[in-house]
Amino acid sequence: MNWIYEPWPWYVSGPLISLVMFLLLMIGKKLGMSSNLRTMCTICGAGKTVGFFKFDWREQRWNLVVVLGVIIGSYIAKNYLSVDTAVTLNPTVVKDLQSKGFTDTSQAYLPDMLFSNDVFTDPKGLAILIIGGLLVGFGARYAGGCTSGHAISGLSNLQVPSLIAVIGFFIGGLVMIHLIFPLIF
């Protein structure tokens, strides 16, 4: 039973993701997390003022169930199936992050410097969250989907726009971590 407390290796999780994507392809569905935001805006009535949100959201109910499953599954995994949440990082990376003020490196996936409630009283941390959230939201909308939508769903459907988007995500990530991140911290 200890296997459930450990991260699953790629040769287990990868084929499982492939199986799910194959089944979705067979029934004509496309998985995408960011598209649920559009669905939720439509449910809340955004279609009354913006044409982008005018569509039959009932066709996307299954995708909302996926989001609910992700939330519930994440809660269960974090609170009941995790024994050690320490992150294994290269010592050079730990030293570099500590020089930038991240004192809790290797202790959790979300550093307190960025994700604790104290960030709401720190103007720099709050600005990083707001600007980052806007850029991620704009990017997901501009690209027609988020990283998971393009990298998992789009590539499994052999869509060339998803390949271009994924290449752009990787280039953007490299630019962020090597050029912008050192300027921010």
Side-chain angles (χ1 to χ4, degrees):
M1 187 64 186
N2 286 337
W3 60 270
I4 202 158
Y5 294 109
E6 301 293 328
W8 292 1
W10 67 268
Y11 52 83
V12 173
S13 55
L16 287 175
I17 292 172
S18 298
L19 176 65
V20 169
M21 297 313 301
F22 177 76
L23 293 174
L24 287 173
L25 188 64
M26 288 296 105
I27 61 174
K29 304 286 185 188
K30 293 179 183 175
L31 178 68
M33 288 297 172
S34 61
S35 62
N36 287 300
L37 182 59
R38 179 182 183 210
T39 303
M40 287 186 268
C41 288
T42 300
I43 292 171
C44 292
K48 294 175 185 170
T49 55
V50 179
F52 175 73
F53 296 107
K54 288 182 181 175
F55 71 99
D56 185 13
W57 64 267
R58 289 170 189 82
E59 294 176 2
Q60 294 297 316
R61 282 185 292 201
W62 71 274
N63 218 1
L64 292 172
V65 173
V66 172
V67 170
L68 183 65
V70 166
I71 293 169
I72 293 171
S74 300
Y75 180 82
I76 291 171
K78 166 71 173 93
N79 293 297
Y80 302 109
L81 300 176
S82 298
V83 290
D84 183 18
T85 58
V87 181
T88 305
L89 292 175
N90 183 305
T92 305
V93 173
V94 170
K95 188 179 288 184
D96 184 45
L97 288 173
Q98 288 174 342
S99 73
K100 292 176 171 63
F102 292 91
T103 57
D104 56 350
T105 56
S106 299
Q107 295 175 7
Y109 284 100
L110 303 175
D112 285 342
M113 185 176 170
L114 292 176
F115 296 100
S116 71
N117 288 334
D118 295 339
V119 76
F120 294 113
T121 59
D122 177 30
K124 179 182 174 184
L126 192 59
I128 290 171
L129 288 179
I130 291 171
I131 293 169
L134 288 172
L135 288 174
V136 168
F138 173 78
R141 187 64 263 147
Y142 187 70
C146 62
T147 52
S148 63
H150 281 294
I152 298 173
S153 185
L155 289 181
S156 68
N157 290 328
L158 303 176
Q159 295 182 12
V160 174
S162 290
L163 177 62
I164 294 169
V166 169
I167 291 170
F169 296 148
F170 275 97
I171 291 171
L174 291 172
V175 168
M176 171 60 196
I177 202 64
H178 291 292
L179 300 178
I180 300 173
F181 188 82
L183 296 175
I184 296 173
F185 297 100

